[in-house]
């Protein structure tokens, strides 16, 4: 009976938060971490897509300067940074539901604009890939479970893939994220939901050989990033007392247990390797960890200790357990190895700024 009453209390709290969120949605949003998507361009620059202010800005990390890009944040579809020559590709949804391609310099100057006659439907998400060898530029379009790969003349997909998964243990298995950096490799993130149960899965796919591997052993949120034939999977989790002990069958990481926060996958072999793991504490104020992958650098933040560590290729340690700027709220934006400086995005009163942390 006590368990039932506690669970009912949780439902009342959720309902109250929902009611407050509806009322709050009518008020103007203030720019901050929750309203801004960040796309690191290099170790010294990042693009900020601010949905509260409907602006796109280029942040020069060493100088802390922000340059406004003349595009709408609401229409941004994808952003890619290229090297040699250095340029940024920004895709937008046009007024007629086609794709506008904008090429920017690393300093935020518009170099060119062009239009791709690829007709988009509601719910389409896209990722652009650069020309490689004899292959032209391509765009992968995802809608629900279906992925379609297009290239010029953009009328019919050259590849179609149905990523639908079902499992009798769960009521829904839904695609909630994915990555595609170039044919033939695709990585798909799923959420599997049942009655008071929730899991995250990752499937890697070789679209040419049809090799598929499902990794369904994650009990916390995951991010996935592709680099050639390798998928990098990294986890994040906030310990929350509302899940302990109610509901009893909702599996979540336990404070004090060893947690894997990074692993790489050989897509063609379907094998995990190079697993990084650690222990993250919790107290009455919460705890857990946050990981992000930025330009090949793995940032791992300890939410209770308000400390952070940084790793390079192959899990090599760059620095461990430094104090996290902004009381643990700042977002890791990049790392300049030649200067041994890490950069963080901070917000104060809705205004962004860059914090530089020197690594000894």
């Amino acid at each position: 009976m006590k368990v039932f009453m506690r669970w009912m209390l949780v439902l009342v709290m959720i309902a109250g938060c929902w009611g407050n969120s509806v009322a709050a949605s009518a008020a103007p949003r203030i720019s901050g971490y929750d309203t801004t998507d960040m796309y690191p361009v290099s170790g010294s620059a990042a693009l900020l897509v601010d949905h509260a202010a409907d602006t796109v800005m280029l942040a020069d990390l060493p100088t802390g300067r922000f340059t406004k890009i003349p595009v709408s944040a609401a229409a941004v579809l994808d952003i890619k940074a290229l090297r040699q020559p250095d340029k940024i590709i920004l895709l937008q949804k046009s007024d007629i539901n086609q794709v506008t391609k904008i090429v920017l310099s690393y300093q935020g100057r518009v170099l060119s604009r062009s239009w791709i006659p690829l007709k988009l439907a509601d719910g389409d998400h896209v990722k652009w890939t650069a020309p490689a060898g004899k292959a032209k530029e391509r765009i992968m379009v995802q809608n629900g479970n279906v992925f379609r790969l297009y290239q010029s003349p953009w009328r019919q997909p050259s590849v179609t893939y149905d990523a639908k998964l079902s499992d009798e243990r769960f009521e829904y298995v839904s695609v909630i994220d994915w990555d595609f950096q170039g044919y033939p490799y695709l990585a798909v993130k799923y959420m599997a939901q049942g009655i008071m149960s929730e899991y995250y899965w990752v499937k890697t796919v070789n679209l040419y050989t049809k090799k598929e591997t499902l990794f369904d052993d994650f009990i916390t949120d995951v991010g996935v990033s592709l680099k050639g034939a390798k998928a990098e999977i990294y986890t994040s989790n906030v310990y929350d007392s509302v899940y302990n002990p109610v509901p009893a069958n909702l599996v979540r990481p336990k404070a004090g247990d060893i947690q894997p926060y990074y692993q790489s996958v050989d897509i063609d072999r379907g094998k995990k390797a190079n697993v990084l793991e650690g222990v993250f504490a919790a107290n009455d104020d919460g705890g857990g960890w946050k990981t992000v992958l930025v330009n090949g650098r793995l940032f791992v933040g300890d939410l209770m200790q308000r400390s952070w560590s940084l790793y390079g290729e192959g899990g090599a340690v760059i620095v461990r357990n430094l104090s996290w700027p902004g009381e643990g709220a700042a977002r890791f934006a990049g790392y300049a190895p030649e200067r041994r400086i890490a950069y963080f995005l901070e917000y104060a009163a809705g205004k962004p700024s860059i914090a530089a942390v020197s690594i000894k």
Side-chain angles (χ1 to χ4, degrees), residues 37 48-56 69 71-77 92:
D37 293 323
L48 308 181
V49 180
D50 185 341
H51 297 284
D54 194 24
T55 59
V56 178
I69 309 299
V71 297
S72 165
V76 171
L77 296 169
Q92 279 195 297

Side-chain angles (χ1 to χ4, degrees), residues 308-329:
W308 62 279
S309 303
L310 193 64
Y311 301 85
E313 292 287 341
V317 176
I318 296 174
V319 67
R320 296 192 66 181
N321 300 327
L322 290 189
S323 179
W324 195 340
E327 293 296 307

Side-chain angles (χ1 to χ4, degrees), residues 131-177:
K134 295 181 179 180
K136 303 177 181 178
E137 65 177 335
R138 292 169 169 174
I139 293 179
M140 180 69 87
V141 180
Q142 174 260 336
N143 194 315
N145 295 312
V146 179
F147 291 81
R148 295 183 175 91
L149 184 62
Y150 293 87
Q151 64 185 39
S152 181
W154 312 105
R155 288 190 289 270
Q156 296 293 329
S158 56
V159 176
T160 299
Y161 175 71
D162 189 343
K164 184 177 180 179
L165 282 179
S166 60
D167 190 307
E168 62 183 12
R169 297 173 299 169
F170 301 97
E171 188 174 0
Y172 302 104
V173 179
S174 308
V175 173
I176 58 172
D177 200 6

Side-chain angles (χ1 to χ4, degrees), residues 276-295:
L276 300 180
E277 53 189 17
V279 176
F280 301 91
N283 57 19
D284 291 341
D285 296 325
W289 70 98
K290 171 69 175 178
T291 60
V292 292
L293 196 61
V294 175
N295 292 319

